[in-house]
Amino acid sequence: MKIVSVDDLPLDGKVIQVLRNRGIVSLNPVQSEAIEKGLLEGKRMLLTSPTGSGKTLIAELGMISHLLKGGKRAVYVTPLRALTAEKYSTFGDWETLGIKVGVTSGDYDAEDAFLSKYDLVVTTYEKLDSLWRHGPEWLLETDYFVLDELHYMNDGKRGPIVESVAVRAKRRKILALSATVSNGEAIAKWLNAELVNTNWRPVPLREGILINDRKITLSFSDGTTLTLKGSDGILSYTEKVVEEGGQVLIFRSSRKMAETTAKKVASLNLKLRRGEVDSLASRLEEVEDAGSEEKNTLLELIKKGVAFHHAGLSKGLRDLIEEGFRKRIIKVITATPTLAAGVNLPARSVIIGDIHRFNRRILGFQEEISVMEYKQMSGRAGRPGYDSEGEAVIVVRNRREAERIARKYIFSPPEPLESKLGNESAFYSFLLGLFAEKGSSEERVRNLVYEAFLDRNVTESYLEQGFSWLKENEFLTNDYKLTVFGRRVADIYINPFSAKIIKDVLTSSQSEDCDIPYLHMLAMTPDGPIANVSKQEEDDLVYVSPCPTFMEEPDDEDELYEYLSALKIALIVHDWVEETEEDTILSKYNIGSGDLRSIVETMDWLTYSGYQVAKALKLESHAEILHKLNRRVYDGVKEELLDLIRVPGIGRKRGRLLYQNGLTKPEDLLMNQEKVKSILGEKLGEKVVKEAARVVGGVL
DNA sequence: ACGTTTCTTGTCTTGCCTCGGAGGC
DNA sequence: CAAGACAAGAAACGT
């Protein structure tokens, strides 16, 4: 029996009402197949299908029917905070059924115990992995897990986390969602679930190759070909699509290329709706978190209906660009792969400008992107409701290449999902996490480890090796209990190799007044951020550093690069906490405001971790310095401003301004309200005074 | 003869994302 | 197993 109308669903009328309110009256083929195979009866399932094929709704029906039948709690896991926020907002619809929906991830602040009052919790893989180590009651009694975007398992760095979450989740009921993979059967078997695999998509997709030779030829897999005029294939094709009323998403492999392509597109004179474009442009000028340079270049582009998009941009700018595209004010976005993985932003046509991407690990070489990655990008083609068909084209330079590329990306299945736990760093972290769980024992860990997707022989060889490494480095006692140090490392969720570096360096170094050696050491850990170091900087960095590092400058070329990259991070954060003007930092180090934000975020977490590790090791003077440093990193202020910036609305800039005018504490703001208003302006001043009152009141 | 534009050559650069916790959702 | 940006210098071009 195929269920097509939502009215036929064997579910409470309220459930059907929620769907109807969303405008859903019938189920698509993927959805009805999942239901047919027992989704609503709580059947374990692995669902592989293209992006945008309505997997979220399937997960919702799975979770809701589970909860309505007396299930205790459901947890929905995604690999990205942006997705977590998006799903949380979608799932809010179910509150009308009395289902309480909560969310937790790095940027939501919730204490573990607080989540116990929710029936449905949305989170990230890392957060869930971390929660499991603390073992709160609400998590232990959770009996349904949805693992979204399971194909992230193939990511070298983060895949092991996905896998280790799956190992624990699959002991309960699960529903796993993934892009199409070539070994779905094997994964389903591993998860003890039934495979539901379809290729259905809401808007049909045509895939093609754009040959950018003397002549520009566009040939699609269905056999149609056409020739375009012009000298730049990307431009000619883009112009054609926009003239026909469509939007274009162009993927380039580097930020710089995305920016220059955007500038070229801007010279096309696309037809725009002037009024909307102008109001978007004026809103762009008001974006607060952005650097002035990126804002100015984007402003010019947006007026021409085009924008570039990459992680160097501030969050505010990215959000505005995405919104402008969704409202069809912006016709063309040129982007790095950020947009392929994150929140859904479809366009009539997707151009994959490069199939090569630089990879530092394969030094000097470029690697071809994976088929799966291509599918992620091309899957963004076709806007439901606007386009009857989506188009995805790969740009190549000659006819010979065209055939090989078409065979590889268009006519071949994507790669299989593989375990990425087979390396020391991933495997030892996995072990440490398992030992940190409630009721852990040597035997339990030994059993759990074999439930990973990793090959049995490989697991065996890493297991004993991992145990002795954890013991040697004092994470684990000889009778398989975590040491104080080991416990702390598991809790703060840093890589054990990072912890080892911090431990080794701090125990062998005297405490230093300067913050550079501390920041540098933290940036050198596997958890540290990475900065690109130019040739020029290679020569200058050591020279401009105000003081030496704990770690010695290596001779080896690759190691030297890592050392200098960490030094650059240290200098950036040093300038940041010394209250250097943001625009100055951005141009001095040639980074974007988005980069600065992410460096600060990571270093905030790492300085906290460093402080905790030092404390656990009873290295008091190091701990004190790191603690003081940590308090300054997030907001980027000198110590004397810490008191003032407790007031919401006051950051490093306003804080410094008030401080210079003799207002140094929140209390001072209350005592000199008129002065505050004259410094910050009437409206803002009033708001700040109110906030100050709350802060001061809270203290009393 | 001199200034400007175009071409040639060699060097340089190069994606993204998640992790803690304080108070109080 | 790369490709485009950029800078510097050479060559071509124009007045």
Side-chain angles (χ1 to χ4, degrees):
Chain A
M1 178 195 65
K2 266 248 192 293
I3 294 174
V4 179
S5 167
V6 296
D7 294 327
D8 300 339
L9 284 172
L11 288 169
D12 192 302
K14 281 184 187 164
V15 177
I16 290 159
Q17 195 51 48
V18 170
L19 298 181
R20 289 197 152 272
N21 287 348
R22 286 187 188 171
I24 301 170
V25 288
S26 58
L27 298 176
N28 73 34
V30 192
Q31 291 156 352
S32 50
E33 186 176 344
I35 286 171
E36 205 178 325
K37 292 208 170 149
L39 175 81
L40 303 180
E41 289 82 58
K43 182 116 179 193
R44 305 168 64 89
M45 228 173 247
L46 166 65
L47 193 74
T48 58
S49 69
T51 2
S53 56
K55 279 182 288 210
T56 306
L57 183 64
I58 295 175
E60 289 180 278
L61 293 178
M63 293 188 294
I64 297 306
S65 60
H66 172 76
L67 291 173
L68 290 182
K69 276 186 307 191
K72 188 72 190 165
R73 182 172 293 108
V75 167
Y76 187 103
V77 204
T78 87
L80 301 173
R81 297 198 290 221
L83 286 178
T84 302
E86 191 187 62
K87 302 300 176 196
Y88 171 59
S89 131
T90 307
F91 298 166
D93 291 354
W94 302 106
E95 303 242 333
T96 57
L97 293 171
I99 289 171
K100 292 209 181 78
V101 184
V103 61
T104 178
S105 76
D107 43 30
Y108 288 84
D109 322 317
E111 196 207 295
D112 306 357
F114 192 77
L115 293 160
S116 65
K117 69 177 203 189
Y118 297 112
D119 305 301
L120 200 174
V121 176
V122 189
T123 187
T124 59
Y125 283 102
E126 278 81 358
K127 182 69 182 189
L128 183 54
D129 187 26
S130 162
L131 283 168
W132 237 304
R133 301 172 179 207
H134 298 84
E137 198 55 36
W138 70 265
L139 180 57
L140 299 178
E141 59 185 31
T142 296
D143 45 8
Y144 194 90
F145 286 90
V146 178
L147 308 179
D148 194 8
E149 313 266 341
L150 189 76
H151 55 270
Y152 255 77
M153 231 176 88
N154 264 11
D155 183 283
K157 250 188 124 82
R158 301 183 51 208
I161 316 282
V162 175
E163 191 174 341
S164 68
V165 163
V167 163
R168 286 168 288 201
K170 79 195 185 85
R171 294 195 154 188
R172 280 81 158 187
K173 272 189 188 161
I174 61 161
L175 170 64
L177 314 174
S178 165
T180 315
V181 294
S182 63
N183 62 340
E185 288 293 348
I187 298 293
K189 196 177 156 211
W190 169 55
L191 294 174
N192 190 18
E194 175 156 1
L195 176 66
V196 176
N197 174 40
T198 83
N199 285 316
W200 183 87
R201 50 172 81 241
V203 183
L205 174 68
R206 294 174 86 203
E207 295 168 274
I209 304 277
L210 184 104
I211 305 167
N212 204 3
D213 213 346
R214 286 263 152 72
K215 234 171 48 181
I216 303 167
T217 330
L218 187 52
S219 38
F220 287 98
S221 57
D222 59 14
T224 53
T225 38
L226 71 158
T227 320
L228 296 173
K229 280 182 284 200
S231 58
D232 186 325
I234 293 183
L235 292 186
S236 309
Y237 178 64
T238 300
E239 190 166 29
K240 174 181 174 296
V241 174
V242 176
E243 263 169 24
E244 290 167 1
Q247 288 173 287
V248 186
L249 191 52
I250 305 173
F251 287 107
R252 305 293 333 241
S253 67
S254 77
R255 295 173 178 185
K256 183 121 288 148
M257 282 195 261
E259 288 181 27
T260 47
T261 305
K263 283 173 191 159
K264 285 183 195 164
V265 172
S267 65
L268 285 179
N269 259 320
L270 304 172
K271 216 193 294 162
L272 306 169
R273 287 168 302 204
R274 203 66 266 159
E276 288 177 348
V277 169
D278 289 342
S279 74
L280 190 70
S282 60
R283 280 180 59 202
L284 188 137
E285 285 182 281
E286 301 302 315
V287 173
E288 274 192 7
D289 63 350
S292 48
E293 203 190 318
E294 57 201 25
K295 229 154 100 170
N296 289 336
T297 23
L298 269 173
L299 189 63
E300 293 313 305
L301 293 170
I302 279 203
K303 288 178 185 163
K304 304 282 186 184
V306 52
F308 58 86
H309 183 293
H310 57 64
L313 294 179
S314 77
K315 184 80 172 53
L317 284 176
R318 284 199 267 170
D319 288 346
L320 189 77
I321 291 165
E322 289 166 24
E323 187 198 321
F325 194 75
R326 238 176 236 120
K327 290 186 176 161
R328 307 175 83 214
I329 302 170
I330 295 174
K331 299 296 179 192
V332 182
I333 288 186
T334 62
T336 54
T338 350
L339 277 188
V343 174
N344 196 20
L345 197 73
R348 158 127 22 126
S349 293
V350 169
I351 302 176
I352 288 96
D354 325 75
I355 41 147
H356 292 277
R357 185 158 55 235
F358 177 78
N359 183 339
R360 179 141 277 123
R361 290 190 310 277
I362 322 173
L363 224 78
F365 305 129
Q366 292 249 135
E367 61 183 354
E368 280 185 355
I369 60 169
S370 67
V371 178
M372 213 186 298
E373 237 175 308
Y374 162 74
K375 300 283 179 202
Q376 287 282 314
M377 293 194 268
S378 59
R380 303 271 118 141
R383 282 188 70 166
Y386 289 104
D387 308 317
S388 56
E389 193 176 49
E391 282 183 4
V393 301
I394 308 173
V395 181
V396 299
R397 288 172 313 142
N398 56 58
R399 191 161 292 277
R400 242 173 54 81
E401 220 188 349
E403 277 174 39
R404 188 182 64 80
I405 296 300
R407 245 200 326 277
K408 171 168 175 180
Y409 291 103
I410 302 180
F411 298 110
S412 306
E415 295 78 9
L417 277 193
E418 290 168 342
S419 174
K420 300 288 177 182
L421 272 170
N423 64 74
E424 293 176 348
S425 170
F427 198 89
Y428 299 177
S429 304
F430 180 40
L431 282 184
L432 183 70
L434 292 179
F435 275 115
E437 277 182 42
K438 257 195 187 137
S440 158
S441 66
E442 181 193 355
E443 196 197 346
R444 195 182 121 88
V445 171
R446 281 184 190 277
N447 287 332
L448 265 167
V449 156
Y450 284 104
E451 291 188 34
F453 194 59
L454 188 62
D455 181 89
R456 206 183 162 82
N457 294 323
V458 182
T459 303
E460 224 152 77
S461 74
Y462 274 113
L463 191 54
E464 300 309 323
Q465 200 183 312
F467 283 162
S468 43
W469 188 87
L470 288 173
K471 288 179 194 165
E472 270 165 37
N473 290 288
E474 295 164 2
F475 292 95
L476 206 57
T477 62
N478 281 326
D479 50 352
Y480 297 89
K481 296 268 175 286
L482 288 183
T483 61
V484 172
F485 169 65
R487 178 80 241 173
R488 206 69 203 101
V489 170
D491 282 351
I492 55 183
Y493 203 69
I494 55 172
N495 184 310
F497 284 84
S498 297
K500 176 176 158 55
I501 290 174
I502 297 171
K503 172 165 156 264
D504 291 350
V505 170
L506 290 186
T507 42
S508 64
S509 306
Q510 292 293 316
S511 60
E512 290 286 342
D513 249 346
C514 180
D515 50 22
I516 292 286
Y518 291 96
L519 294 168
H520 176 260
M521 166 193 73
L522 295 169
M524 280 291 280
T525 65
D527 288 314
I530 289 172
N532 288 327
V533 180
S534 72
K535 270 267 165 22
Q536 180 66 44
E537 284 173 320
E538 274 185 31
D539 303 331
D540 294 348
L541 283 175
V542 178
Y543 177 73
V544 300
S545 175
C547 52
T549 57
F550 286 136
M551 300 158 105
E552 257 174 61
E553 205 180 315
D555 295 324
D556 177 273
E557 204 182 321
D558 293 354
E559 287 174 34
L560 180 64
Y561 189 90
E562 278 173 36
Y563 175 93
L564 292 172
S565 167
L567 185 56
K568 179 166 171 177
I569 296 289
L571 290 169
I572 290 170
V573 178
H574 174 78
D575 279 0
W576 173 248
V577 296
E578 289 300 316
E579 295 180 30
T580 304
E581 191 80 39
E582 184 165 337
D583 267 340
T584 312
I585 297 180
L586 301 188
S587 58
K588 184 170 166 191
Y589 297 101
N590 191 27
I591 55 172
S593 52
D595 298 313
L596 179 59
R597 200 56 242 168
S598 97
I599 289 169
V600 165
E601 211 175 278
T602 306
M603 291 305 282
D604 175 41
W605 167 56
L606 281 178
T607 45
Y608 178 80
S609 302
Y611 157 55
Q612 289 295 326
V613 168
K615 214 164 79 168
L617 295 171
K618 298 205 172 6
L619 300 165
E620 303 301 344
S621 58
H622 283 311
E624 197 185 325
I625 294 167
L626 281 162
H627 182 51
K628 275 188 186 166
L629 184 55
N630 172 246
R631 299 210 301 146
R632 296 168 53 199
V633 171
Y634 190 82
D635 292 294
V637 292
K638 293 182 187 168
E639 209 175 337
E640 63 204 29
L641 282 195
L642 285 173
D643 208 14
L644 262 185
I645 55 160
R646 282 168 40 225
V647 179
I650 297 188
R652 61 203 304 256
K653 238 174 160 164
R654 290 171 191 159
R656 177 52 58 192
L657 198 60
L658 294 167
Y659 194 92
Q660 276 167 348
N661 283 283
L663 307 172
T664 62
K665 306 189 292 294
E667 289 82 351
D668 296 346
L669 305 183
L670 288 182
M671 312 277 246
N672 304 277
Q673 305 200 358
E674 287 313 310
K675 198 170 172 187
V676 173
K677 284 180 195 166
S678 76
I679 297 170
L680 295 178
E682 188 69 26
K683 229 174 141 185
L684 188 62
E686 202 162 317
K687 212 184 107 198
V688 161
V689 168
K690 251 188 217 152
E691 294 288 1
R694 281 199 10 202
V695 168
V696 175
V699 170
L700 295 178

